[in-house]
Amino acid sequence: IGKNVMIGSMREKSQLDVALRHRFYHTPLKNITEHSVLTQLEYVGLYQSRRAFGEHEAGIRWYGKIKSWGVVRREEIRERPARPSNKDELYVRFEIEEWQRREPAIVPNGIGVYSLLFTSSYLFERARELAELKLEDEKQLREWRELRRKGLVHVELDHSYVDLARQVTGMRVEN
């Protein structure tokens, strides 16, 4: 599955406000362990944490098509001032064509995003719950599609953060 969507975690409302207003997203380069994925990315999705946004605003509610990206020092990102401790750190800055509402939102259902999650546009367009974005092979996708015909599918992971989970541990239809 080609991973062309990056989901970034928003830890506070001001971070979301700045990203939406200035049509960009930034993340430390060190958070992207496979640098080759940068050339494949087409979209950025924004995950709003339950802690910062509350139960009713948590999840992925915004996404945007990447217009361009570049690696810069953190202090060069002026829309959100750097801390003295990280001003020289390398960041990837993504310019976004325009942010769009994700309707319906992809809900956390007990799962979160710790820093970054990479997924496919196929899953991003179809997912209802965050854990569904972790499906990684054809066998899992087939099982998921079969279960989707019967109703809402709950995907179980081996970690409460989808990007830190190593594997899908189960799938079942919600009643």
Side-chain angles (χ1 to χ4, degrees):
I1 301 171
K3 296 186 176 184
N4 61 344
V5 180
M6 180 180 74
I7 308 299
S9 183
M10 300 274 111
R11 288 198 164 74
E12 50 192 63
K13 290 184 179 183
S14 63
Q15 186 182 9
L16 177 66
D17 294 340
V18 168
L20 294 176
R21 191 167 351 114
H22 296 284
R23 295 204 301 255
F24 84 105
Y25 178 76
H26 66 289
T27 188
L29 179 61
K30 68 182 180 190
N31 287 350
I32 303 173
T33 52
E34 262 184 72
H35 292 168
S36 62
V37 78
L38 283 168
T39 61
Q40 299 165 33
L41 292 176
E42 295 178 57
Y43 295 91
V44 171
L46 304 177
Y47 169 73
Q48 298 169 210
S49 70
R50 279 188 310 275
R51 189 180 305 120
F53 293 86
E55 198 61 45
H56 298 293
E57 285 298 308
I60 301 172
R61 299 178 175 280
W62 295 97
Y63 72 98
K65 186 165 181 50
I66 298 169
K67 182 169 30 175
S68 63
W69 62 273
V71 177
V72 298
R73 288 181 34 228
R74 178 60 183 87
E75 69 181 350
E76 295 174 53
I77 300 170
R78 306 224 188 289
E79 295 87 349
R80 222 174 129 74
R83 295 186 304 274
S85 62
N86 74 348
K87 68 181 178 64
D88 291 323
E89 192 177 340
L90 292 178
Y91 271 63
V92 183
R93 179 187 173 110
F94 297 90
E95 301 297 333
I96 304 299
E97 286 180 9
E98 77 174 302
W99 292 111
Q100 298 177 49
R101 280 293 221 176
R102 171 56 163 84
E103 299 289 348
I106 299 174
V107 298
N109 202 8
I111 299 283
V113 175
Y114 185 73
S115 63
L116 292 177
L117 170 69
F118 298 95
T119 190
S120 68
S121 53
Y122 177 86
L123 285 171
F124 183 77
E125 290 163 7
R126 290 160 180 79
R128 296 184 185 140
E129 292 184 3
L130 202 51
E132 291 174 281
L133 299 177
K134 189 67 178 178
L135 300 173
E136 297 200 339
D137 60 39
E138 281 303 319
K139 183 177 178 285
Q140 288 176 346
L141 280 175
R142 252 191 325 276
E143 181 182 351
W144 177 67
R145 282 193 290 257
E146 288 296 318
L147 292 171
R148 278 296 282 275
R149 292 188 188 119
K150 299 172 186 165
L152 183 63
V153 178
H154 180 69
V155 175
E156 294 158 2
L157 304 174
D158 65 354
H159 202 287
S160 61
Y161 287 111
V162 67
D163 50 327
L164 300 181
R166 288 190 309 281
Q167 64 184 3
V168 171
T169 57
M171 285 184 244
R172 59 185 162 75
V173 177
E174 293 280 312
N175 291 331

